[in-house]
Protein backbone atom coordinates (compact mmCIF):
# COMPACT_ATOMS: atom_id res chain seq x y z
CA UNK A 1 0.00 0.00 0.00
CA UNK A 2 1.61 3.33 -1.02
CA UNK A 3 1.69 5.65 1.98
CA UNK A 4 0.36 9.21 1.64
CA UNK A 5 3.00 11.46 0.09
CA UNK A 6 2.27 14.45 2.32
CA UNK A 7 2.10 14.93 6.07
CA UNK A 8 -1.27 15.72 7.60
CA UNK A 9 -1.93 17.22 11.01
CA UNK A 10 -5.51 15.90 11.16
CA UNK A 11 -4.36 13.41 13.79
CA UNK A 12 -4.84 16.14 16.40
CA UNK A 13 -8.57 16.10 15.67
CA UNK A 14 -9.27 12.58 14.46
CA UNK A 15 -6.97 10.64 16.81
CA UNK A 16 -6.94 6.82 17.02
CA UNK A 17 -10.71 6.22 17.19
CA UNK A 18 -10.69 2.50 17.98
CA UNK A 19 -14.30 2.39 19.19
CA UNK A 20 -15.55 4.56 16.35
CA UNK A 21 -13.66 2.50 13.77
CA UNK A 22 -15.33 -0.69 15.00
CA UNK A 23 -18.77 0.94 14.88
CA UNK A 24 -18.05 2.25 11.39
CA UNK A 25 -16.78 -1.09 10.09
CA UNK A 26 -19.90 -2.86 11.35
CA UNK A 27 -22.12 -0.21 9.80
CA UNK A 28 -20.32 -0.44 6.46
CA UNK A 29 -20.88 -4.19 6.43
CA UNK A 30 -24.56 -3.76 7.30
CA UNK A 31 -24.89 -1.18 4.52
CA UNK A 32 -23.05 -3.41 2.01
CA UNK A 33 -20.06 -1.03 1.95
CA UNK A 34 -22.18 1.88 0.74
CA UNK A 35 -20.17 4.74 2.21
CA UNK A 36 -22.87 7.40 2.03
CA UNK A 37 -25.55 5.21 3.57
CA UNK A 38 -23.17 4.14 6.32
CA UNK A 39 -22.35 7.76 7.14
CA UNK A 40 -26.03 8.70 7.16
CA UNK A 41 -26.92 5.85 9.48
CA UNK A 42 -24.12 6.69 11.91
CA UNK A 43 -25.41 10.24 12.16
CA UNK A 44 -29.13 9.45 12.15
CA UNK A 45 -28.81 6.84 14.89
CA UNK A 46 -26.09 8.72 16.83
CA UNK A 47 -24.00 5.55 16.84
CA UNK A 48 -20.90 7.29 18.24
CA UNK A 49 -22.94 8.93 21.01
CA UNK A 50 -21.38 12.32 20.24
CA UNK A 51 -23.05 15.56 21.37
CA UNK A 52 -23.31 17.09 17.89
CA UNK A 53 -24.15 15.77 14.42
CA UNK A 54 -21.35 17.88 12.94
CA UNK A 55 -18.73 16.09 15.03
CA UNK A 56 -20.32 12.73 14.29
CA UNK A 57 -20.32 13.38 10.54
CA UNK A 58 -16.69 14.55 10.56
CA UNK A 59 -15.44 11.48 12.40
CA UNK A 60 -17.60 9.16 10.27
CA UNK A 61 -15.91 10.55 7.17
CA UNK A 62 -12.48 10.00 8.75
CA UNK A 63 -13.24 6.42 9.77
CA UNK A 64 -14.72 5.52 6.39
CA UNK A 65 -11.74 7.11 4.63
CA UNK A 66 -9.31 5.01 6.67
CA UNK A 67 -11.18 1.75 6.17
CA UNK A 68 -11.90 2.17 2.48
CA UNK A 69 -8.45 3.57 1.72
CA UNK A 70 -6.42 0.64 3.03
CA UNK A 71 -6.21 -1.04 -0.36
CA UNK A 72 -7.31 -0.64 -3.95
CA UNK A 73 -8.05 -4.36 -3.95
CA UNK A 74 -11.64 -5.00 -2.88
CA UNK A 75 -10.99 -8.38 -1.25
CA UNK A 76 -8.10 -7.04 0.82
CA UNK A 77 -10.10 -4.00 1.83
CA UNK A 78 -13.13 -6.06 2.82
CA UNK A 79 -10.98 -8.48 4.83
CA UNK A 80 -9.60 -5.57 6.84
CA UNK A 81 -13.06 -4.11 7.43
CA UNK A 82 -14.32 -7.50 8.61
CA UNK A 83 -11.37 -7.87 11.00
CA UNK A 84 -12.08 -4.46 12.52
CA UNK A 85 -15.80 -5.18 12.78
CA UNK A 86 -15.82 -8.78 13.94
CA UNK A 87 -12.35 -9.62 15.20
CA UNK A 88 -11.32 -9.83 18.83
CA UNK A 89 -10.43 -6.60 20.60
CA UNK A 90 -6.73 -7.33 20.02
CA UNK A 91 -7.25 -8.09 16.33
CA UNK A 92 -9.34 -4.97 15.81
CA UNK A 93 -6.82 -2.75 17.59
CA UNK A 94 -3.94 -3.95 15.41
CA UNK A 95 -6.07 -3.64 12.27
CA UNK A 96 -7.01 -0.06 13.20
CA UNK A 97 -3.33 0.78 13.70
CA UNK A 98 -2.60 -0.56 10.22
CA UNK A 99 -5.50 1.37 8.69
CA UNK A 100 -4.22 4.55 10.32
CA UNK A 101 -0.72 3.83 9.06
CA UNK A 102 -2.06 3.55 5.51
CA UNK A 103 -3.97 6.81 5.93
CA UNK A 104 -1.34 8.98 7.62
CA UNK A 105 2.28 9.30 6.53
CA UNK A 106 3.51 10.41 9.95
CA UNK A 107 1.91 7.38 11.64
CA UNK A 108 3.36 5.08 8.97
CA UNK A 109 6.86 6.41 9.56
CA UNK A 110 6.45 6.45 13.33
CA UNK A 111 5.47 2.78 13.35
CA UNK A 112 7.83 1.49 10.64
CA UNK A 113 10.85 3.52 11.72
CA UNK A 114 10.80 4.34 15.43
CA UNK A 115 8.62 1.54 16.85
CA UNK A 116 9.89 -1.10 14.42
CA UNK A 117 13.51 -0.25 15.24
CA UNK A 118 12.88 -0.72 18.95
CA UNK A 119 11.30 -4.12 18.46
CA UNK A 120 13.96 -5.22 15.98
CA UNK A 121 16.73 -4.21 18.41
CA UNK A 122 14.89 -5.81 21.35
CA UNK A 123 14.98 -2.40 23.01
CA UNK A 124 11.56 -1.89 24.54
CA UNK A 125 12.25 1.61 25.83
CA UNK A 126 10.20 4.36 24.19
CA UNK A 127 9.83 7.64 26.07
CA UNK A 128 7.72 10.69 25.41
CA UNK A 129 10.94 12.49 24.59
CA UNK A 130 11.75 9.86 21.96
CA UNK A 131 8.40 10.52 20.29
CA UNK A 132 8.91 14.29 20.50
CA UNK A 133 12.38 13.97 19.00
CA UNK A 134 10.99 11.83 16.19
CA UNK A 135 8.34 14.41 15.27
CA UNK A 136 10.86 17.26 15.56
CA UNK A 137 13.27 15.34 13.33
CA UNK A 138 10.63 15.20 10.60
CA UNK A 139 9.99 18.93 11.08
CA UNK A 140 13.68 19.62 10.50
CA UNK A 141 13.46 18.20 6.98
CA UNK A 142 9.87 18.91 5.97
CA UNK A 143 8.32 22.34 5.49
CA UNK A 144 4.77 21.17 6.23
CA UNK A 145 5.63 19.70 9.62
CA UNK A 146 7.99 22.60 10.35
CA UNK A 147 4.98 24.90 9.96
CA UNK A 148 3.01 23.14 12.67
CA UNK A 149 2.82 24.95 15.99
CA UNK A 150 4.46 23.57 19.12
CA UNK A 151 0.97 22.87 20.44
CA UNK A 152 0.12 20.81 17.34
CA UNK A 153 3.32 18.78 17.57
CA UNK A 154 2.77 18.16 21.25
CA UNK A 155 -0.80 17.04 20.61
CA UNK A 156 0.38 14.66 17.91
CA UNK A 157 2.94 13.24 20.33
CA UNK A 158 0.13 12.67 22.82
CA UNK A 159 -2.07 10.98 20.21
CA UNK A 160 0.76 8.68 19.08
CA UNK A 161 1.48 7.73 22.68
CA UNK A 162 -2.21 7.13 23.40
CA UNK A 163 -2.49 5.03 20.25
CA UNK A 164 0.24 2.72 21.53
CA UNK A 165 -1.67 2.27 24.77
CA UNK A 166 -5.05 1.69 23.14
CA UNK A 167 -3.53 -0.80 20.69
CA UNK A 168 -1.77 -2.82 23.40
CA UNK A 169 1.79 -1.68 22.66
CA UNK A 170 2.15 0.09 26.05
CA UNK A 171 0.65 -0.41 29.49
CA UNK A 172 -0.25 3.26 30.02
CA UNK A 173 0.67 6.73 28.77
CA UNK A 174 3.20 7.29 31.57
CA UNK A 175 5.32 4.21 31.05
CA UNK A 176 8.47 4.29 28.94
CA UNK A 177 8.30 0.59 28.14
CA UNK A 178 6.88 -1.07 25.05
CA UNK A 179 5.06 -4.36 25.58
CA UNK A 180 5.84 -7.46 23.52
CA UNK A 181 3.25 -7.69 20.74
CA UNK A 182 2.35 -10.55 18.44
CA UNK A 183 1.17 -9.69 14.94
CA UNK A 184 -2.23 -11.26 14.35
CA UNK A 185 -2.11 -13.92 11.65
CA UNK A 186 -5.17 -12.59 9.82
CA UNK A 187 -3.78 -9.07 9.76
CA UNK A 188 -0.43 -10.41 8.59
CA UNK A 189 -2.19 -12.10 5.68
CA UNK A 190 -3.95 -8.83 4.78
CA UNK A 191 -0.69 -6.86 4.98
CA UNK A 192 1.10 -9.49 2.88
CA UNK A 193 -1.61 -9.34 0.22
CA UNK A 194 -1.33 -5.55 0.27
CA UNK A 195 2.42 -5.61 -0.32
CA UNK A 196 3.19 -4.43 3.19
CA UNK A 197 5.04 -7.41 4.67
CA UNK A 198 8.09 -5.20 5.36
CA UNK A 199 5.87 -3.31 7.84
CA UNK A 200 5.51 -6.45 9.98
CA UNK A 201 8.37 -5.11 12.09
CA UNK A 202 6.11 -2.33 13.36
CA UNK A 203 4.18 -5.09 15.12
CA UNK A 204 7.26 -6.82 16.48
CA UNK A 205 7.38 -9.43 13.72
CA UNK A 206 9.74 -10.25 10.90
CA UNK A 207 8.45 -9.47 7.43
CA UNK A 208 9.49 -10.61 4.00
CA UNK A 209 9.86 -8.26 1.08
Amino acid sequence: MPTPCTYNGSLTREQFLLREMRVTARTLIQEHLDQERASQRICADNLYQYPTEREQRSIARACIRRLMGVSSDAMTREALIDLVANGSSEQAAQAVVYALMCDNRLVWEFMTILVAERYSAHDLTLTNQDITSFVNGIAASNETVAGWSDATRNKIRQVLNRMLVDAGFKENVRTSELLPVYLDAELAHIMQANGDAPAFAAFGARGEA
Side-chain angles (χ1 to χ4, degrees):
M1 171 68 190
T3 55
C5 60
T6 59
Y7 293 101
N8 189 320
S10 64
L11 200 61
T12 58
R13 179 181 68 259
E14 297 173 356
Q15 306 193 29
F16 184 46
L17 304 174
L18 176 57
R19 179 182 66 84
E20 292 86 346
M21 288 282 282
R22 298 206 78 174
V23 169
T24 305
R26 291 165 183 160
T27 306
L28 277 168
I29 290 172
Q30 291 165 1
E31 297 296 343
H32 306 289
L33 302 185
D34 186 310
Q35 299 176 51
E36 184 57 34
R37 286 175 56 186
S39 179
Q40 289 174 355
R41 183 171 175 216
I42 288 167
C43 294
D45 295 347
N46 194 18
L47 296 184
Y48 298 155
Q49 295 296 297
Y50 282 0
T52 68
E53 181 177 340
R54 179 179 179 182
E55 183 180 12
Q56 199 142 224
R57 190 173 302 279
S58 173
I59 295 303
R61 283 198 297 265
C63 291
I64 291 170
R65 184 190 70 234
R66 292 179 189 178
L67 290 167
M68 300 301 291
V70 163
S71 178
S72 58
D73 177 74
M75 291 184 63
T76 301
R77 186 169 61 243
E78 290 170 21
L80 188 284
I81 292 172
D82 182 70
L83 193 60
V84 174
N86 300 313
S88 68
S89 57
E90 292 80 8
Q91 288 177 312
Q94 287 192 10
V96 171
V97 171
Y98 177 58
L100 182 52
M101 288 168 63
C102 292
D103 183 67
N104 188 294
R105 179 179 176 182
L106 189 145
V107 178
W108 179 275
E109 293 180 359
F110 172 70
M111 293 299 298
T112 60
I113 297 175
L114 186 59
V115 175
E117 284 180 353
R118 298 303 163 93
Y119 280 122
S120 296
H122 304 289
D123 175 9
L124 299 184
T125 302
L126 185 65
T127 67
N128 283 331
Q129 184 56 49
D130 291 331
I131 302 175
T132 298
S133 296
F134 177 79
V135 176
N136 288 342
I138 294 175
S141 60
N142 182 271
E143 291 183 359
T144 298
V145 181
W148 294 348
S149 67
D150 290 342
T152 294
R153 291 188 214 169
N154 185 54
K155 180 64 176 180
I156 286 175
R157 190 269 304 164
Q158 293 175 6
V159 173
L160 292 173
N161 194 35
R162 183 79 242 178
M163 175 189 73
L164 294 176
V165 176
D166 291 345
F169 288 73
K170 293 181 73 175
E171 185 74 29
N172 57 64
V173 294
R174 294 176 298 280
T175 185
S176 299
E177 297 295 322
L178 288 169
L179 297 171
V181 294
Y182 302 94
L183 177 62
D184 176 73
E186 290 186 46
L187 178 59
H189 180 75
I190 292 168
M191 293 173 67
Q192 179 85 49
N194 217 22
D196 284 334
F200 284 4
F203 298 83
R206 182 177 299 174
E208 300 177 357

